[in-house]
């Protein structure tokens, strides 16, 4: 049983999962994040389950993106950022001195808010990760990885004849799927997605959502989104954040149909956001 | 009210005119400067020659038939080419008598003509005892006369050419024995005491070697420093100090770098004086801040999303820099480097301090040979009393400015071609 | 010899890379099983070979000249105590020249010839010993690293740590250069102050640094009152600023507010060309064209103008810094928010009234910064004054007379053949220190001003 710390208003109640489906791939325990003097994330406990999509929702500035970036230590590069608490991957702390952050990021991939392909060819974009991790070198082995990653990202049909074109020449939606292909090319265990559709048009968004649903089961996925319908459509678990606190966590259908907390209900019904 | 408005509008117009005048003045000065240098300098690229029938008298040169290799070279070296010249000039002007008269007659031809004769006979021994018409380089005074730099109407005592000499030159010209041709010597020879034999090639090679050293040292160090400061350095007092230092070094007078080079490279490290190695190291210290500042702004221009993307797939910080940031920042870095190098190419003062100011005839062959550079050559020639050097100075300035223009144009092309691709 | 040792070391480094990479690849079935990419193991071995060897090379290069000199002098049998420092250094110079064969015609001093031979022999032996040490250290480093190679060795982390240290070392060089400047200038200046009192140097009004070669000659002491040099520098700088400040500032204003697109497209690159002209060209122009013209004009209106007048040098120096002032002022003006300008124009002020009463006051710190940097540039400028200003140190404020400057004196004192330790050459370093200190102050004030300014608008 996981318990979030109590705040003055209400207890956070985490419903007890049935044992056979509750398999935390990653687990955050009592995580605090400080940005200089700002306390951005406050004592948050959050599991990311194997084979499921976990949605992190909440109003802007509630700390959900900040927390997401803790899962593969992307905040390391920000000098003013300080993380306390514990995050584990398969039971092992990701802050362990033995764990190389580079290796961690190979296992926990990330897709960003704005599509950010490298200004290199489509092929090199996908091949970059496998190359630096020594998964494959040049030749047919690498070709196969690139093809299968693009296939899984649903992009292969569109780009198979223009692999040598620059990744930045693709459309916005294609760029974002290229970034997803790039992330899955190193065969990660977890994929973190930070508002992956916020810069895309509705059609491209639909494609990405479809893709997320297909990828589910193969990877543990955590997605930060502003769009509640999106969270309802793609996720199995939902965590609602407000002002840096985890207000409520549970099955997506429970959160959307029968939230326990008043703040969750207000947000979902559009009272604020 | 109306009157006030008229007054205000007049003031507006006046202000505008001041501005226009200021720009006009700056550009006019540039125009006068370029005009006067081109006007004085273009004649450096042509040279007067005199046609003489030279007889390669076997008595003066000696027998070359039975000599081989070293002995032959020595014989050629020994031969009295001055006598050959004198003979052919006397043939041209049979009525000239007396030592002084003959000396002033031979003075019409450059002292370099002897070397020309030597090469001629060395190349083709069959010329021995034959008379051949040869175009020989004229003395710089004759050259100046033909280029209209010597006024004929001033009293003889204030002229470098006497009345007799003028008459000889006129006679030669009347016979079609004087011509002006493209001055190859100016672009292919080293320095010389004689203006007509002096060239910029030695200085150009010296400049090239010096810049090569400067680039080889300052480019890697500058780029690595910029990478450290932009990508890795923690924000603390030390980094602040480094930054203030770099900004300050960019504004330190160049001659101070010369003093540093003199004290450190020559006196402490005992590196050879006047060498491109030392000059280059000194210029490297001077250009380092320029390159660091340019590289930093180029690195800063690479969008952070690229870095995040690379980190997100597990690239280490150094891989992020080497695989993504540096390739994208390279055009900007190179633009800044070219501009820095152009400045180093035009720099004179610090090189005077490390002894690159010597009179050097030979073209430098290595980094430790004594050498001079183009701007210093200009300075040296500008100091020479001979009239003939004035046009050489301007000519050398034209060569230098051409290189600077090419480098800056290269920088502009680079900037436009590779401007932001993301 | 150094080049040979270095190239051998580089070859060995290349070989270590290949060997290290190969060895670790042979330890595993698939490259993926390695902790790092195979190339990193190559770098790991290569660095362990290169760094120790290179340290030895550096140490050798730093110490060899001194060791060699000492050993040669000791072996030469000349009585060191009875000779002055200058004599010994002359002797050593001759030995070195003989050894390098650059001056074949030296006096046939048997001691000199013997010393030169000894020098060559010692140099060869030293180089051989040092090369041996380079090889030894490189080999030791290599074998240590080679034996440590394992598939789970974190080679990337080690290599990257070394690279990071290299980056950091490079960035400290800027500080090292500054300290190098200060210490080298200071050391010589202190020696100078041993001979000439600082009071005389800073406040004396008579400058004539000619020291006689022998003590018994007349005027052997020379005098080192630098005030006329400082006033000369200030005079020329003032003239330059009088030219550059109004023209530069007005150009920037005209370009920023009035010039049409086409005028700007032509004028801006032309100003940049003005900035790119080498100073030696300006100097030539000032000496050859401007100086004589000023003199002729002067004599036509009955003024006596020296042919190397402060005015000629100052005018041309002013032209040289025009683009500097205008581009920095341009930046400062462009940094003023448009809202300010629109506010004033909206009230019905004319453009020039807006510029004078709103934009310029707002941009003032930036413009002051431009002036300070321009002044620092003018003070440190060398070639124009060397070629167009005089050598005689006159204490005068008349721009038509010839004056001399700090930089001119440094150049004249240090070029040509001079013995190194005389008060004359040392005084150049004292002047250099003053120059460095003054420009440093100007630069630091300018930096502080511009920092303030930036904070205001960010």
């Amino acid at each position: 049983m996981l318990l979030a710390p109590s705040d003055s208003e209400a207890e956070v109640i985490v419903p007890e999962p049935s044992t056979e489906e509750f398999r935390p791939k990653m687990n955050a325990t009592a995580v605090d994040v400080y940005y200089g003097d700002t306390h951005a994330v406050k004592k948050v406990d959050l599991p990311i389950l194997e084979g499921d999509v976990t949605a992190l929702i909440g109003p802007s500035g509630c700390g959900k993106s900040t927390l997401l970036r803790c899962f593969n230590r992307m905040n390391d590069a920000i000098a003013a950022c300080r993380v306390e608490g514990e995050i584990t991957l398969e039971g092992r702390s990701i802050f362990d001195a033995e764990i190389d952050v580079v290796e961690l990021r190979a296992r926990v991939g990330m897709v960003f808010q704005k599509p950010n392909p490298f200004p290199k060819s489509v092929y090199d974009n996908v091949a970059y990760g496998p190359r630096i991790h020594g998964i494959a070198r040049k030749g047919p082995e690498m070709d196969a990885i690139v093809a299968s990653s693009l296939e899984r990202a649903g992009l292969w049909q569109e780009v198979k004849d223009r692999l040598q074109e620059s990744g930045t020449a693709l459309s916005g939606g294609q760029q974002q799927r290229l970034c997803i292909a790039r992330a899955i090319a190193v065969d990660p265990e977890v994929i973190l997605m930070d508002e992956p559709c916020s810069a895309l048009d509705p059609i491209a968004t639909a494609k990405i959502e479809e893709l997320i649903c297909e990828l589910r089961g193969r990877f543990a996925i955590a997605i930060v989104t502003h769009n509640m319908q999106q969270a309802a459509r793609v996720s199995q678990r939902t965590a609602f954040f407000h002002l840096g606190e985890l207000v409520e966590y549970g099955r997506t259908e429970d959160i959307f149909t029968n939230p326990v907390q008043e703040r969750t209900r207000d947000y979902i019904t559009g009272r604020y956001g | 009210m109306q009157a006030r408005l008229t007054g205000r509008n007049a003031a507006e117009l006046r202000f505008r005119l001041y501005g226009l005048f200021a720009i006009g003045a700056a550009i006019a000065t540039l125009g006068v400067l370029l005009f006067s240098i081109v006007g004085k300098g273009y004649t450096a690229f042509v040279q007067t020659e005199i046609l003489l029938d030279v007889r390669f008298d076997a008595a003066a040169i000696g027998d070359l038939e039975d000599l081989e290799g070293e002995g032959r070279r020595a014989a050629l070296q020994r031969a009295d080419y001055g006598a050959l010249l004198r003979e052919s000039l006397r043939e041209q002007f049979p009525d000239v008598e007396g030592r002084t008269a003959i000396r002033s007659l031979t003075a019409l031809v450059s002292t370099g003509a002897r070397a020309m004769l030597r090469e001629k006979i060395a190349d083709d021994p069959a010329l021995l005892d034959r008379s051949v018409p040869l175009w020989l380089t004229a003395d710089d005074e004759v050259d100046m006369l033909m280029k209209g730099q010597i006024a004929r109407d001033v009293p003889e005592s204030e002229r470098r050419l006497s009345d007799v000499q003028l008459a000889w030159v006129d006679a030669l010209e009347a016979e079609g024995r004087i011509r002006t041709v493209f001055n190859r010597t100016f672009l292919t020879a080293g320095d010389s005491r004689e203006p007509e034999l002096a060239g910029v090639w030695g200085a150009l090679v010296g400049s090239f070697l010096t810049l090569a050293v400067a680039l080889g040292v300052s480019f890697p160090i500058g780029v690595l420093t910029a990478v450290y400061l932009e990508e890795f350095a923690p924000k603390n007092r030390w980094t602040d100090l480094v930054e203030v230092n770099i900004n300050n070094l960019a504004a330190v007078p160049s001659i101070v770098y010369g003093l540093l080079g003199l004290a450190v490279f020559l006196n402490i490290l005992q590196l050879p004086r006047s060498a491109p190695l030392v000059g280059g190291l000194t210029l490297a210290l001077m250009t380092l801040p320029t390159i660091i500042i340019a590289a930093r702004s180029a690195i800063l221009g690479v969008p952070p999303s690229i870095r995040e993307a690379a980190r997100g797939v597990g690239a280490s910080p150094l891989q992020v820099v080497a695989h993504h940031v540096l390739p994208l920042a390279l055009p900007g870095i190179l633009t800044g480097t070219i501009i820095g190098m152009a400045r180093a190419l035009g720099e004179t003062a610090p090189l005077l301090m490390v002894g690159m100011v010597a009179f050097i005839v030979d073209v430098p062959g290595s980094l430790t040979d004594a050498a001079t550079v183009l701007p210093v050559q200009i300075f040296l020639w500008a100091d020479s009393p001979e009239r003939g050097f004035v046009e050489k100075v301007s000519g050398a300035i034209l060569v230098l400015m051409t290189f600077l223009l090419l480098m800056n144009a290269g920088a502009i092309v680079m900037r436009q071609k590779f401007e932001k691709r993301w | 010899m150094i080049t040979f040792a270095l190239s051998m070391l580089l070859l060995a480094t290349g070989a270590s890379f290949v060997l290290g990479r190969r060895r670790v690849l042979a330890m595993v079935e698939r490259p993926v099983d390695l902790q790092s990419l195979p190339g990193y193991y190559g770098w790991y071995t290569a660095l362990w070979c290169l760094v120790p060897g290179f340290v030895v090379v550096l140490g050798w290069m730093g110490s060899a000249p001194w060791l060699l000199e000492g050993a040669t002098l000791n072996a030469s049998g000349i009585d060191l105590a009875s000779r002055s420092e200058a004599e010994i250094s002359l002797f050593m110079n001759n030995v070195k020249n003989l050894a390098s064969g650059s001056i074949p015609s030296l006096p046939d001093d048997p001691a000199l010839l013997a010393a030169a031979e000894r020098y060559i022999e010692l140099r060869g032996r030293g180089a051989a010993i040092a090369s041996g040490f380079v090889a030894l250290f490189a080999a030791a480093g290599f074998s240590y690293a080679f034996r440590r190679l394992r598939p789970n060795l974190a080679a990337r982390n080690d290599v990257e740590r070394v690279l990071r240290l290299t980056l950091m070392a490079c960035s400290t060089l800027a500080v090292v250069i500054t300290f190098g400047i200060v210490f080298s200038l200071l050391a010589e200046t202190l020696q100078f102050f041993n001979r000439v009192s600082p009071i005389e140097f800073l406040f004396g009004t008579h400058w004539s640094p000619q020291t006689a070669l022998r003590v018994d000659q007349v005027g052997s002491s020379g005098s080192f009152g630098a005030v006329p040099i400082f006033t000369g520098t200030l005079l020329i700088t003032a003239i330059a600023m009088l030219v550059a400040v109004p023209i530069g500032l007005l150009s920037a204003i005209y370009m920023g507010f009035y010039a049409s697109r086409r005028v700007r497209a032509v004028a801006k690159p032309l100003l940049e060309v003005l900035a790119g002209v080498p100073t030696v060209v300006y100097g030539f122009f000032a000496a050859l064209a401007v100086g004589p013209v000023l003199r002729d004009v002067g004599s036509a209106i009955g003024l006596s103008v020296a042919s190397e007048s402060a005015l000629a040098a100052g005018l041309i120096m002013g032209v040289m810094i025009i683009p500097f002032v205008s581009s920095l002022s341009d930046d400062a003006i462009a940094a003023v928010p448009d809202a300010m300008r629109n506010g004033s124009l909206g009230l019905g002020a004319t453009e020039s009234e807006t510029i004078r009463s709103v934009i310029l006051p707002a941009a003032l710190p930036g413009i002051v910064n431009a002036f300070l940097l321009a002044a620092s540039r003018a003070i440190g400028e060398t070639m124009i004054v060397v070629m167009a200003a005089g050598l005689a140190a006159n204490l005068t404020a008349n721009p038509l007379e010839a004056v001399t400057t700090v930089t001119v004196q440094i150049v004249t004192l240090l070029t040509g053949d001079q013995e190194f330790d005389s008060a004359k050459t040392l005084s150049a370093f004292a002047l250099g220190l003053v120059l460095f200190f003054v420009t440093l102050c100007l630069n630091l004030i300018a930096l502080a001003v511009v920092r303030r300014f930036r904070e205001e608008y960010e």
Side-chain angles (χ1 to χ4, degrees):
Chain A
M1 160 126 186
L2 284 159
L3 262 181
S6 56
D7 66 337
S8 54
E9 287 180 39
E11 284 274 299
V12 174
I13 293 161
V14 178
E16 175 126 18
S18 62
T19 40
E20 90 266 71
E21 60 180 279
F22 192 77
R23 303 177 303 274
K25 183 80 187 172
M26 296 192 82
N27 206 352
T29 323
V31 170
D32 279 295
V33 185
Y34 301 87
Y35 264 114
D37 296 331
T38 332
H39 197 173
V41 174
K42 299 171 186 163
K43 287 269 174 289
V44 168
D45 293 345
L46 181 72
I48 293 173
L49 303 190
E50 179 118 48
D52 271 353
V53 177
T54 306
L56 282 65
I57 61 170
S60 316
C62 66
K64 53 194 191 303
S65 284
T66 309
L67 177 67
L68 188 79
R69 292 165 62 93
C70 291
F71 281 103
N72 70 347
R73 290 175 57 185
M74 283 299 280
N75 289 332
D76 281 14
I78 302 161
C81 182
R82 191 157 51 85
V83 181
E84 285 171 8
E86 187 60 288
I87 298 176
T88 56
L89 172 62
E90 305 242 285
R92 204 160 153 218
S93 169
I94 65 167
F95 300 112
D96 193 331
E98 289 282 293
I99 293 234
D100 193 335
V101 65
V102 166
E103 202 192 319
L104 170 71
R105 287 178 192 153
R107 294 174 66 191
V108 184
M110 187 148 195
V111 177
F112 297 86
Q113 191 167 355
K114 243 182 83 198
N116 55 357
F118 301 129
K120 300 180 177 206
S121 71
V122 170
Y123 184 96
D124 285 336
N125 260 285
V126 183
Y128 181 68
R131 203 174 283 149
I132 59 171
H133 292 297
I135 294 168
R137 293 175 63 76
K138 297 178 189 78
E141 204 183 344
M142 184 63 94
D143 294 348
I145 291 181
V146 171
S148 77
S149 304
L150 286 169
E151 187 95 48
R152 273 147 76 184
L155 198 58
W156 178 245
Q157 287 307 320
E158 291 158 65
V159 300
K160 65 179 177 192
D161 299 322
R162 39 200 288 216
L163 288 177
Q164 292 313 317
E165 269 177 46
S166 172
T168 49
L170 301 177
S171 75
Q174 288 175 324
Q175 286 189 15
Q176 194 62 301
R177 276 180 285 150
L178 177 61
C179 292
I180 294 175
R182 184 176 66 192
I184 57 187
V186 292
D187 204 20
E189 296 156 41
V190 182
I191 302 179
L192 308 172
M193 296 185 174
D194 188 0
E195 300 189 37
C197 303
S198 65
L200 303 180
D201 61 71
I203 297 173
T205 303
K207 279 201 172 151
I208 302 275
E209 287 182 8
E210 208 178 297
L211 175 59
I212 293 172
C213 295
E214 279 167 24
L215 292 176
R216 179 200 160 207
R218 266 193 115 108
F219 308 100
I221 297 176
I223 176 171
V224 164
T225 177
H226 256 118
N227 180 334
M228 245 129 15
Q229 285 75 31
Q230 185 172 67
R233 279 194 299 265
V234 301
S235 73
Q236 288 74 48
R237 302 268 162 181
T238 296
F240 172 61
F241 288 83
H242 187 225
L243 298 175
E245 293 164 6
L246 176 63
V247 178
E248 192 167 349
Y249 170 82
R251 278 181 230 277
T252 300
E253 58 262 36
D254 295 342
I255 298 272
F256 278 90
T257 52
N258 189 20
V260 178
Q261 297 288 328
E262 197 177 332
R263 280 194 287 171
T264 318
R265 189 170 313 143
D266 288 350
Y267 182 69
I268 284 167
T269 53
R271 203 91 37 99
Y272 61 89
Chain B
M1 184 69 189
Q2 193 57 46
R4 239 185 89 74
L5 200 60
T6 320
R8 284 172 64 195
N9 281 335
E12 171 76 23
L13 187 67
R14 268 202 309 278
F15 190 73
R16 224 182 136 131
L17 284 178
Y18 293 152
L20 199 59
F21 172 77
I23 292 209
I27 290 173
T29 320
L30 177 68
V32 170
L33 187 145
L34 291 181
F35 185 78
S36 85
I37 283 168
V38 173
K40 285 200 187 86
Y42 77 95
T43 51
F45 297 94
V46 292
Q47 171 67 43
T48 308
E49 289 185 346
I50 299 176
L51 180 66
L52 288 179
D53 301 311
V54 182
R55 203 169 146 276
F56 288 98
D57 192 358
I61 296 170
D63 207 356
L64 297 173
E65 287 291 312
D66 42 323
L67 286 170
E68 293 272 314
E70 197 59 40
R72 202 183 117 130
R73 206 170 305 138
L76 282 171
Q77 205 66 251
R78 263 197 318 273
D80 185 1
Y81 300 99
L84 296 184
L85 271 181
R86 267 198 303 281
E87 267 320 298
S88 47
L89 276 164
R90 284 190 63 176
E91 230 163 79
Q92 189 67 36
F93 298 101
D95 43 344
V96 178
E97 293 290 340
R99 286 181 71 93
T100 20
I102 288 175
R103 190 172 303 148
S104 51
L105 181 59
T106 34
L108 294 181
V109 181
S110 162
T111 48
R114 290 155 204 215
M116 249 179 95
L117 293 183
R118 185 171 64 228
E119 275 165 35
K120 203 82 193 167
I121 187 75
D123 283 352
D124 187 4
L127 291 176
L128 206 61
D129 263 339
R130 277 172 47 199
S131 182
V132 259
L134 280 180
W135 283 106
L136 298 172
T137 309
D139 187 66
D140 60 309
E141 299 297 343
V142 177
D143 192 41
M144 288 292 100
L145 180 75
M146 297 317 293
K147 287 171 180 168
Q149 301 281 335
I150 293 181
R152 284 163 182 266
D153 47 7
V154 295
E156 191 177 2
S157 56
E158 289 175 23
R159 253 190 274 127
R160 293 287 296 274
L161 286 176
S162 63
D163 286 343
V164 213
Q165 284 177 313
L166 284 183
W168 289 331
V169 173
D170 290 340
L172 284 168
E173 199 179 3
E175 272 189 61
R177 284 179 173 274
I178 285 191
R179 67 170 186 187
T180 45
V181 291
F182 179 69
N183 187 356
R184 269 185 47 205
T185 314
F186 185 62
L187 294 179
T188 54
D191 198 4
S192 167
R193 296 275 184 223
E194 305 296 329
E196 74 273 14
L197 300 177
V200 291
W201 182 243
L204 266 180
V205 172
S207 272
F208 176 77
L209 293 175
T210 309
L211 281 195
V213 173
L215 182 66
V217 173
S218 63
F219 182 73
I221 296 183
V223 173
L224 294 184
T225 303
V227 165
Y228 179 76
L229 290 177
E230 282 302 324
E231 302 283 327
F232 298 104
K235 267 257 158 273
N236 58 23
R237 295 187 86 106
W238 173 252
T239 314
D240 268 359
L241 178 71
V242 172
E243 258 174 58
V244 169
N245 248 302
I246 289 167
N247 286 327
N248 178 56
L249 284 178
V252 165
S254 59
I255 193 166
V256 173
Y257 287 101
L259 290 174
L260 176 69
L262 171 61
V264 174
F265 299 133
L266 294 188
N267 289 337
I268 297 182
L269 294 180
Q270 309 233 336
L271 295 174
R273 254 177 101 80
S274 309
L277 177 67
V278 174
L281 286 174
T282 309
L283 290 183
L285 298 185
M286 196 192 81
T287 24
L288 194 60
T290 317
I291 293 182
I292 294 175
I293 291 169
R296 285 188 70 177
S297 75
I299 289 172
L300 201 64
V302 176
S305 66
I306 303 276
R307 296 184 181 80
E308 286 223 306
R311 271 206 302 273
V313 290
S316 71
L318 273 163
Q319 286 172 331
V320 173
V321 170
H323 298 163
H324 301 281
V325 176
L326 275 186
L328 292 174
L330 201 59
I333 297 176
L334 287 181
T335 309
T337 308
I338 295 177
I339 290 171
M341 282 297 122
R343 223 160 73 190
L345 174 60
E347 194 56 71
T348 320
L351 300 178
L352 300 183
M353 297 291 95
V354 293
M356 289 192 94
V357 64
F359 169 72
I360 289 146
V361 178
D362 295 327
V363 176
S366 83
L367 292 180
T368 47
D369 284 357
T372 191
V373 295
L374 205 43
V376 176
Q377 185 72 76
I378 291 169
F379 171 66
L380 284 171
W381 282 348
D383 248 12
S384 303
E386 279 95 343
R387 228 200 150 84
F389 274 121
V390 173
E391 62 163 27
K392 304 292 169 198
V393 175
S394 305
I397 287 176
L398 288 179
V399 173
L400 175 63
M401 298 274 275
T402 310
F403 275 97
L404 290 177
L405 221 59
L406 286 178
M407 288 171 83
N408 282 305
I412 291 169
V413 168
M414 175 97 68
R415 188 158 50 196
Q416 277 169 356
K417 195 167 175 189
F418 295 100
E419 228 164 29
K420 289 203 188 90
R421 292 172 301 176
W422 43 81
Chain C
M1 198 67 196
I2 284 180
T3 12
F4 176 73
L6 267 181
S7 38
M8 287 324 281
L9 183 60
L10 286 180
L11 268 181
T13 306
S16 313
F17 178 87
V18 175
L19 288 174
R21 189 170 175 278
R22 238 190 235 164
R23 174 172 156 98
V24 83
L25 274 175
M27 289 175 175
V28 288
E29 274 172 37
R30 298 172 312 146
V32 196
D33 299 333
L34 291 172
Q35 196 272 350
S36 307
L37 288 177
Y40 282 107
Y41 295 93
W43 280 110
Y44 178 83
T45 341
L47 281 174
W48 266 107
C49 171
L50 178 70
V51 174
F54 195 66
V55 168
V56 177
V57 171
L58 279 187
W60 175 32
M61 277 164 70
S63 59
W66 306 101
L67 291 176
L68 260 178
E69 211 166 277
T72 312
L73 281 177
N74 279 337
S76 67
I78 57 168
D79 185 11
L80 291 177
S82 70
R83 304 210 184 186
S84 78
E85 222 172 277
E87 274 176 311
I88 292 174
S89 91
L90 180 71
F91 180 80
M92 251 346 276
N93 256 334
N94 283 338
V95 167
K96 275 182 224 161
N97 283 334
L98 264 182
S100 64
S102 62
I103 301 176
S105 56
L106 273 172
D108 282 337
D109 180 358
L112 199 60
L113 285 174
E117 262 171 41
R118 179 86 186 135
Y119 181 82
I120 293 174
E121 186 202 329
L122 283 173
R123 189 171 59 184
R125 199 186 298 164
I129 294 173
S131 302
F133 270 104
V134 172
L136 189 71
F137 273 70
F142 168 76
S143 63
Y144 171 75
F146 195 69
R147 250 182 278 138
R148 280 198 53 190
L149 288 180
R150 301 274 179 281
N152 64 350
L153 176 76
R156 183 178 55 74
N157 303 41
D158 286 0
V159 169
E160 290 194 343
R161 203 167 303 136
V162 174
L163 288 179
R164 258 177 193 242
L165 278 178
T166 314
L167 291 182
M168 209 165 85
C170 283
S171 76
T172 55
L173 192 69
V175 183
V176 173
I177 294 174
T178 305
F179 276 96
I181 291 175
V182 172
F183 280 121
S184 59
L185 293 181
L186 208 58
E188 312 289 346
T189 305
L190 288 179
Q191 279 197 51
F192 173 67
F193 284 153
N194 273 339
R195 299 167 202 214
V196 177
S197 95
I199 308 281
E200 192 209 324
F201 175 70
L202 287 175
F203 302 105
T205 55
H206 184 63
W207 178 269
S208 108
Q210 297 311 320
T211 42
L213 289 173
R214 290 197 317 273
V215 195
D216 52 322
Q217 277 176 324
V218 230
S220 65
S221 61
S223 54
F224 293 94
V227 169
I229 302 180
F230 299 148
T231 54
T233 309
L234 288 182
L235 179 62
I236 288 182
T237 305
I239 297 170
M241 294 299 282
L242 278 179
V243 173
V245 164
I247 294 187
L249 187 56
L250 284 170
S251 305
I253 290 172
Y254 188 80
M255 298 269 237
F257 296 99
Y258 295 112
S260 67
R261 193 180 272 274
R262 269 177 50 203
V263 170
R264 218 179 341 222
V266 176
K268 218 164 182 152
L270 283 179
L271 280 182
E272 274 172 31
V273 171
L274 208 54
V277 174
T279 54
V280 68
V281 176
Y282 280 119
F284 176 64
F285 183 65
L288 205 83
V290 181
V293 166
L294 283 181
R295 197 186 47 207
D296 293 350
V297 170
S299 64
I301 58 173
L303 284 171
S304 97
V305 182
S307 57
E308 299 193 316
S309 66
L311 190 58
L315 280 177
I316 291 304
M317 194 189 278
V319 171
M320 182 200 84
I321 51 180
I322 286 173
F324 201 66
V325 174
S326 88
S327 81
L328 285 173
S329 310
D330 197 23
D331 293 347
I333 290 170
V336 176
D338 251 2
M340 273 196 182
R341 180 177 164 221
N342 293 338
S344 167
L345 289 176
L347 283 174
T350 64
E351 191 83 64
S352 68
E353 287 162 348
T354 306
I355 293 166
R356 269 181 296 200
S357 54
V358 177
I359 309 258
L360 288 187
L364 195 62
I367 294 172
V368 168
N369 167 61
F371 294 170
L372 290 173
L373 287 178
S376 142
R377 201 111 203 251
I379 291 174
E381 169 47 39
T382 309
M383 291 322 289
I384 293 178
V385 279
V386 165
M387 295 170 85
L391 284 176
N394 295 324
L395 185 55
T396 174
N398 182 356
L400 304 181
E401 280 183 44
V403 294
T404 191
T405 72
V406 173
T407 48
V408 172
Q409 287 305 316
I410 295 175
V411 169
T412 29
L413 291 171
L414 286 180
T415 48
D417 287 326
Q418 248 118 25
E419 72 276 43
F420 197 70
D421 278 341
S422 74
K424 189 177 155 191
T425 46
L426 289 174
S427 69
F429 285 91
L431 288 173
L433 187 66
V434 173
L435 179 64
F436 177 74
F437 186 72
V438 170
T439 51
L440 177 77
C441 288
L442 284 173
N443 299 341
L444 289 182
I445 297 172
L447 268 180
V449 167
V450 85
R451 273 196 177 182
R452 261 264 180 80
F453 179 52
R454 264 199 212 123
E455 276 160 20
E456 225 167 280
Y457 288 117
E458 264 172 13

